[in-house]
Amino acid sequence: MKKNFIDLALFVLRLGFGGLMLTHGIPKIEKLSNAAEFPDPIGIGGLPSLILCLIGEVLAPILIIVGFKTKWAALPAAITMFVAAFVIHAKDDLGTKEHALLYLIAFAVIFLAGAGKLSIDGMKK
């Protein structure tokens, strides 16, 4: 194989992990009606915690999927998964933390590698 598929691989990574993250974030939008009951893992209150979670699990993944400001968008997504793995599931076994860790690793790779040419960011170059 002489052809390099890095841009296609980044596209698949962005679509896969961004799209799957939306399945976790979109249902949380309904919790805005009763945000006081949302968990407060970092001690800032239920509503601010929910807003940060929605940024990391809805807004950031949408930006990652389309490849707009991808490196910046990968940061809140990765931070959200860091909090999920090491704060919310701090006392849980590795099997319970696994999903958050996989997302964290994927968003860290997207942050480091960027969006690739098959993205809005890539069209500017």
Side-chain angles (χ1 to χ4, degrees):
M1 293 183 89
K2 293 184 179 182
K3 192 160 186 161
N4 192 338
F5 291 102
I6 291 174
D7 291 313
L8 181 59
L10 290 171
F11 177 72
V12 170
L13 184 71
R14 288 187 356 255
L15 251 56
F17 279 92
L20 289 171
M21 179 56 70
L22 286 174
T23 67
H24 294 279
I26 289 173
K28 290 182 175 106
I29 293 171
E30 294 176 9
K31 296 183 184 218
L32 281 168
S33 62
N34 197 3
E37 292 183 12
F38 192 77
D40 182 18
I42 57 175
I44 60 172
L47 180 60
S49 293
L50 177 57
I51 290 169
L52 289 174
C53 186
L54 290 173
I55 290 169
E57 293 186 11
V58 178
L59 178 61
I62 289 170
L63 295 174
I64 289 167
I65 288 168
V66 299
F68 181 70
K69 302 290 183 187
T70 309
K71 286 190 169 211
W72 285 105
L75 283 174
I79 291 167
T80 301
M81 292 300 98
F82 182 89
V83 171
F86 297 109
V87 178
I88 293 172
H89 296 292
K91 296 180 181 177
D92 295 337
D93 62 353
L94 183 60
T96 304
K97 294 178 185 186
E98 182 179 7
H99 284 100
L101 292 172
L102 289 171
Y103 282 111
L104 172 58
I105 292 166
F107 292 131
V109 169
I110 292 168
F111 171 75
L112 294 171
K117 292 179 184 174
L118 301 173
S119 66
I120 293 173
D121 291 344
M123 293 184 336
K124 296 183 223 173
K125 296 177 183 176

